[in-house]
mmCIF file of all heavy atoms in Angstrom:
data_model
loop_
_atom_site.group_PDB
_atom_site.id
_atom_site.type_symbol
_atom_site.label_atom_id
_atom_site.label_comp_id
_atom_site.label_asym_id
_atom_site.label_seq_id
_atom_site.Cartn_x
_atom_site.Cartn_y
_atom_site.Cartn_z
ATOM 1 N N ALA A 83 -15.887 36.649 48.361
ATOM 2 C CA ALA A 83 -15.521 35.407 47.681
ATOM 3 C C ALA A 83 -16.669 34.971 46.732
ATOM 4 O O ALA A 83 -17.803 35.008 47.060
ATOM 5 C CB ALA A 83 -15.248 34.362 48.609
ATOM 6 N N ASN A 84 -16.268 34.555 45.459
ATOM 7 C CA ASN A 84 -17.247 34.204 44.512
ATOM 8 C C ASN A 84 -17.011 32.721 44.056
ATOM 9 O O ASN A 84 -18.089 32.063 43.694
ATOM 10 C CB ASN A 84 -17.101 35.071 43.278
ATOM 11 C CG ASN A 84 -17.955 34.718 42.124
ATOM 12 O OD1 ASN A 84 -17.500 33.959 41.161
ATOM 13 N ND2 ASN A 84 -19.196 35.168 42.067
ATOM 14 N N ASN A 85 -15.881 32.243 44.080
ATOM 15 C CA ASN A 85 -15.599 30.839 43.681
ATOM 16 C C ASN A 85 -14.358 30.390 44.280
ATOM 17 O O ASN A 85 -13.513 31.079 44.711
ATOM 18 C CB ASN A 85 -15.515 30.744 42.146
ATOM 19 C CG ASN A 85 -14.416 31.493 41.525
ATOM 20 O OD1 ASN A 85 -13.231 31.028 41.449
ATOM 21 N ND2 ASN A 85 -14.626 32.729 41.097
ATOM 22 N N LEU A 86 -14.274 29.031 44.331
ATOM 23 C CA LEU A 86 -13.067 28.328 44.845
ATOM 24 C C LEU A 86 -12.443 27.602 43.666
ATOM 25 O O LEU A 86 -13.110 27.003 42.778
ATOM 26 C CB LEU A 86 -13.457 27.335 45.827
ATOM 27 C CG LEU A 86 -14.114 27.862 47.223
ATOM 28 C CD1 LEU A 86 -14.420 26.679 48.055
ATOM 29 C CD2 LEU A 86 -13.062 28.789 47.929
ATOM 30 N N ARG A 87 -11.124 27.687 43.616
ATOM 31 C CA ARG A 87 -10.346 26.899 42.637
ATOM 32 C C ARG A 87 -9.431 25.847 43.283
ATOM 33 O O ARG A 87 -8.773 26.201 44.293
ATOM 34 C CB ARG A 87 -9.550 27.915 41.804
ATOM 35 C CG ARG A 87 -10.300 28.949 41.054
ATOM 36 C CD ARG A 87 -9.465 29.864 40.222
ATOM 37 N NE ARG A 87 -10.178 31.006 39.828
ATOM 38 C CZ ARG A 87 -9.670 32.025 39.076
ATOM 39 N NH1 ARG A 87 -8.415 32.022 38.801
ATOM 40 N NH2 ARG A 87 -10.471 33.016 38.741
ATOM 41 N N THR A 105 -8.416 27.747 46.736
ATOM 42 C CA THR A 105 -8.106 29.183 46.883
ATOM 43 C C THR A 105 -9.384 29.958 46.576
ATOM 44 O O THR A 105 -10.003 29.601 45.587
ATOM 45 C CB THR A 105 -6.982 29.605 45.942
ATOM 46 O OG1 THR A 105 -5.830 28.870 46.154
ATOM 47 C CG2 THR A 105 -6.722 31.110 46.064
ATOM 48 N N TYR A 107 -11.493 33.140 45.362
ATOM 49 C CA TYR A 107 -11.383 34.311 44.460
ATOM 50 C C TYR A 107 -12.639 34.990 44.391
ATOM 51 O O TYR A 107 -13.742 34.468 44.567
ATOM 52 C CB TYR A 107 -11.045 33.803 43.013
ATOM 53 C CG TYR A 107 -9.652 33.324 42.832
ATOM 54 C CD1 TYR A 107 -9.377 31.915 43.078
ATOM 55 C CD2 TYR A 107 -8.572 34.022 42.421
ATOM 56 C CE1 TYR A 107 -8.146 31.374 42.923
ATOM 57 C CE2 TYR A 107 -7.296 33.525 42.278
ATOM 58 C CZ TYR A 107 -7.104 32.140 42.556
ATOM 59 O OH TYR A 107 -5.775 31.622 42.369
ATOM 60 N N ASP A 108 -12.469 36.375 44.269
ATOM 61 C CA ASP A 108 -13.722 37.137 43.984
ATOM 62 C C ASP A 108 -14.023 37.122 42.545
ATOM 63 O O ASP A 108 -13.416 36.499 41.723
ATOM 64 C CB ASP A 108 -13.440 38.575 44.537
ATOM 65 C CG ASP A 108 -12.497 39.421 43.724
ATOM 66 O OD1 ASP A 108 -12.038 38.978 42.607
ATOM 67 O OD2 ASP A 108 -12.003 40.481 44.250
ATOM 68 N N THR A 109 -15.142 37.814 42.158
ATOM 69 C CA THR A 109 -15.642 37.756 40.806
ATOM 70 C C THR A 109 -14.605 38.359 39.778
ATOM 71 O O THR A 109 -14.759 38.154 38.563
ATOM 72 C CB THR A 109 -17.017 38.442 40.716
ATOM 73 O OG1 THR A 109 -17.602 38.170 39.468
ATOM 74 C CG2 THR A 109 -16.957 39.949 40.918
ATOM 75 N N TYR A 121 -11.098 35.776 53.295
ATOM 76 C CA TYR A 121 -11.748 34.535 53.442
ATOM 77 C C TYR A 121 -10.956 33.604 54.429
ATOM 78 O O TYR A 121 -9.990 32.966 54.109
ATOM 79 C CB TYR A 121 -11.740 33.767 52.064
ATOM 80 C CG TYR A 121 -12.796 32.704 51.871
ATOM 81 C CD1 TYR A 121 -14.172 32.988 51.853
ATOM 82 C CD2 TYR A 121 -12.430 31.332 51.849
ATOM 83 C CE1 TYR A 121 -15.082 31.970 51.738
ATOM 84 C CE2 TYR A 121 -13.431 30.337 51.718
ATOM 85 C CZ TYR A 121 -14.740 30.654 51.611
ATOM 86 O OH TYR A 121 -15.701 29.745 51.501
ATOM 87 N N ILE A 127 -17.152 22.702 52.916
ATOM 88 C CA ILE A 127 -16.981 22.408 51.521
ATOM 89 C C ILE A 127 -17.526 21.111 51.182
ATOM 90 O O ILE A 127 -17.428 20.105 52.006
ATOM 91 C CB ILE A 127 -15.447 22.458 51.189
ATOM 92 C CG1 ILE A 127 -14.782 23.797 51.706
ATOM 93 C CG2 ILE A 127 -15.267 22.327 49.724
ATOM 94 C CD1 ILE A 127 -15.376 25.078 51.069
ATOM 95 N N ILE A 128 -18.215 20.958 50.042
ATOM 96 C CA ILE A 128 -18.715 19.738 49.583
ATOM 97 C C ILE A 128 -17.914 19.332 48.306
ATOM 98 O O ILE A 128 -18.038 20.098 47.270
ATOM 99 C CB ILE A 128 -20.212 19.712 49.294
ATOM 100 C CG1 ILE A 128 -20.916 20.037 50.572
ATOM 101 C CG2 ILE A 128 -20.641 18.413 48.748
ATOM 102 C CD1 ILE A 128 -22.496 20.207 50.416
ATOM 103 N N SER A 130 -17.200 16.823 45.025
ATOM 104 C CA SER A 130 -17.912 16.007 44.161
ATOM 105 C C SER A 130 -17.121 15.704 42.892
ATOM 106 O O SER A 130 -16.056 16.366 42.647
ATOM 107 C CB SER A 130 -19.285 16.526 43.776
ATOM 108 O OG SER A 130 -19.152 17.643 43.018
ATOM 109 N N ARG A 180 -13.362 15.119 37.571
ATOM 110 C CA ARG A 180 -13.328 16.639 37.549
ATOM 111 C C ARG A 180 -13.823 17.091 38.975
ATOM 112 O O ARG A 180 -14.877 16.778 39.373
ATOM 113 C CB ARG A 180 -14.328 17.219 36.514
ATOM 114 C CG ARG A 180 -14.206 18.710 36.491
ATOM 115 C CD ARG A 180 -14.887 19.361 35.194
ATOM 116 N NE ARG A 180 -14.735 20.691 35.234
ATOM 117 C CZ ARG A 180 -13.798 21.448 34.812
ATOM 118 N NH1 ARG A 180 -12.615 20.862 34.470
ATOM 119 N NH2 ARG A 180 -13.772 22.785 34.846
ATOM 120 N N ARG A 181 -12.876 17.548 39.680
ATOM 121 C CA ARG A 181 -13.114 17.982 41.055
ATOM 122 C C ARG A 181 -14.010 19.187 41.054
ATOM 123 O O ARG A 181 -13.733 20.209 40.478
ATOM 124 C CB ARG A 181 -11.827 18.274 41.816
ATOM 125 C CG ARG A 181 -11.021 17.053 42.075
ATOM 126 C CD ARG A 181 -9.998 17.332 43.120
ATOM 127 N NE ARG A 181 -9.039 18.369 42.602
ATOM 128 C CZ ARG A 181 -7.756 18.065 42.229
ATOM 129 N NH1 ARG A 181 -7.341 16.826 42.212
ATOM 130 N NH2 ARG A 181 -6.973 18.998 41.793
ATOM 131 N N HIS A 182 -15.011 19.108 41.860
ATOM 132 C CA HIS A 182 -15.882 20.320 42.142
ATOM 133 C C HIS A 182 -16.029 20.486 43.612
ATOM 134 O O HIS A 182 -15.907 19.596 44.325
ATOM 135 C CB HIS A 182 -17.285 20.083 41.438
ATOM 136 C CG HIS A 182 -17.369 19.970 40.064
ATOM 137 N ND1 HIS A 182 -17.308 20.962 39.256
ATOM 138 C CD2 HIS A 182 -17.341 18.908 39.278
ATOM 139 C CE1 HIS A 182 -17.376 20.604 37.985
ATOM 140 N NE2 HIS A 182 -17.319 19.277 38.015
ATOM 141 N N GLN A 183 -16.342 21.746 44.030
ATOM 142 C CA GLN A 183 -16.558 21.931 45.370
ATOM 143 C C GLN A 183 -17.545 23.049 45.530
ATOM 144 O O GLN A 183 -17.619 24.068 44.716
ATOM 145 C CB GLN A 183 -15.233 22.307 46.108
ATOM 146 C CG GLN A 183 -14.612 23.652 45.712
ATOM 147 C CD GLN A 183 -14.006 23.610 44.325
ATOM 148 O OE1 GLN A 183 -13.464 22.604 43.960
ATOM 149 N NE2 GLN A 183 -14.159 24.654 43.577
ATOM 150 N N LEU A 184 -18.419 22.961 46.593
ATOM 151 C CA LEU A 184 -19.309 23.956 46.930
ATOM 152 C C LEU A 184 -18.909 24.518 48.279
ATOM 153 O O LEU A 184 -18.761 23.818 49.250
ATOM 154 C CB LEU A 184 -20.719 23.436 46.945
ATOM 155 C CG LEU A 184 -21.248 22.858 45.608
ATOM 156 C CD1 LEU A 184 -22.681 22.320 45.875
ATOM 157 C CD2 LEU A 184 -21.297 23.931 44.570
ATOM 158 N N GLY A 185 -18.908 25.889 48.352
ATOM 159 C CA GLY A 185 -18.492 26.507 49.589
ATOM 160 C C GLY A 185 -19.726 26.846 50.414
ATOM 161 O O GLY A 185 -20.880 27.086 49.983
ATOM 162 N N GLN A 186 -19.476 27.099 51.684
ATOM 163 C CA GLN A 186 -20.573 27.502 52.661
ATOM 164 C C GLN A 186 -21.284 28.711 52.116
ATOM 165 O O GLN A 186 -22.455 28.797 52.314
ATOM 166 C CB GLN A 186 -19.878 27.701 53.998
ATOM 167 C CG GLN A 186 -20.830 28.050 55.137
ATOM 168 C CD GLN A 186 -20.086 28.231 56.484
ATOM 169 O OE1 GLN A 186 -19.001 28.735 56.492
ATOM 170 N NE2 GLN A 186 -20.675 27.810 57.530
ATOM 171 N N ARG A 187 -20.521 29.674 51.634
ATOM 172 C CA ARG A 187 -21.176 30.976 51.236
ATOM 173 C C ARG A 187 -20.994 31.188 49.801
ATOM 174 O O ARG A 187 -21.212 32.273 49.248
ATOM 175 C CB ARG A 187 -20.510 32.168 51.952
ATOM 176 C CG ARG A 187 -20.610 32.043 53.503
ATOM 177 C CD ARG A 187 -19.753 33.072 54.267
ATOM 178 N NE ARG A 187 -19.749 32.857 55.649
ATOM 179 C CZ ARG A 187 -18.886 33.420 56.447
ATOM 180 N NH1 ARG A 187 -18.068 34.332 55.981
ATOM 181 N NH2 ARG A 187 -18.845 33.244 57.720
ATOM 182 N N ILE A 188 -20.629 30.174 49.001
ATOM 183 C CA ILE A 188 -20.458 30.318 47.599
ATOM 184 C C ILE A 188 -21.555 29.511 46.852
ATOM 185 O O ILE A 188 -21.544 28.238 47.072
ATOM 186 C CB ILE A 188 -19.043 30.006 47.204
ATOM 187 C CG1 ILE A 188 -18.011 30.894 47.951
ATOM 188 C CG2 ILE A 188 -18.779 30.024 45.733
ATOM 189 C CD1 ILE A 188 -16.575 30.545 47.725
ATOM 190 N N ALA A 189 -22.178 30.022 45.999
ATOM 191 C CA ALA A 189 -23.292 29.359 45.308
ATOM 192 C C ALA A 189 -22.754 28.150 44.504
ATOM 193 O O ALA A 189 -23.326 27.039 44.601
ATOM 194 C CB ALA A 189 -24.088 30.257 44.411
ATOM 195 N N MET A 190 -21.723 28.313 43.735
ATOM 196 C CA MET A 190 -21.181 27.290 42.932
ATOM 197 C C MET A 190 -19.786 27.595 42.587
ATOM 198 O O MET A 190 -19.456 28.784 42.472
ATOM 199 C CB MET A 190 -22.032 26.928 41.743
ATOM 200 C CG MET A 190 -22.142 28.019 40.725
ATOM 201 S SD MET A 190 -23.116 27.650 39.250
ATOM 202 C CE MET A 190 -22.137 26.341 38.600
ATOM 203 N N ASP A 191 -19.043 26.588 42.277
ATOM 204 C CA ASP A 191 -17.660 26.789 41.842
ATOM 205 C C ASP A 191 -17.698 27.037 40.368
ATOM 206 O O ASP A 191 -18.507 26.490 39.597
ATOM 207 C CB ASP A 191 -16.690 25.657 42.257
ATOM 208 C CG ASP A 191 -16.690 24.609 41.258
ATOM 209 O OD1 ASP A 191 -17.670 23.859 41.137
ATOM 210 O OD2 ASP A 191 -15.711 24.362 40.576
ATOM 211 N N LEU A 192 -16.746 27.845 39.832
ATOM 212 C CA LEU A 192 -16.707 28.142 38.375
ATOM 213 C C LEU A 192 -15.527 27.405 37.786
ATOM 214 O O LEU A 192 -15.227 27.615 36.573
ATOM 215 C CB LEU A 192 -16.618 29.621 38.172
ATOM 216 C CG LEU A 192 -17.791 30.399 38.742
ATOM 217 C CD1 LEU A 192 -17.536 31.908 38.526
ATOM 218 C CD2 LEU A 192 -19.098 29.982 38.254
ATOM 219 N N HIS A 193 -14.647 26.847 38.587
ATOM 220 C CA HIS A 193 -13.401 26.239 38.070
ATOM 221 C C HIS A 193 -13.305 24.765 38.650
ATOM 222 O O HIS A 193 -13.822 24.425 39.723
ATOM 223 C CB HIS A 193 -12.219 27.096 38.505
ATOM 224 C CG HIS A 193 -12.348 28.474 38.084
ATOM 225 N ND1 HIS A 193 -11.798 28.858 36.826
ATOM 226 C CD2 HIS A 193 -12.927 29.562 38.583
ATOM 227 C CE1 HIS A 193 -11.988 30.238 36.680
ATOM 228 N NE2 HIS A 193 -12.762 30.559 37.724
ATOM 229 N N GLY A 194 -12.525 24.002 38.002
ATOM 230 C CA GLY A 194 -12.235 22.683 38.543
ATOM 231 C C GLY A 194 -10.857 22.205 37.979
ATOM 232 O O GLY A 194 -10.160 22.798 37.245
#
Side-chain angles (χ1 to χ4, degrees):
N84 173 266
N85 63 85
L86 296 176
R87 301 181 192 178
T105 306
Y107 290 86
D108 67 15
T109 191
Y121 202 71
I127 307 298
I128 298 176
S130 65
R180 185 165 178 82
R181 290 194 297 256
H182 296 276
Q183 67 290 323
L184 298 179
Q186 183 179 37
R187 302 172 188 167
I188 298 176
M190 64 179 296
D191 86 292
L192 305 179
H193 301 267

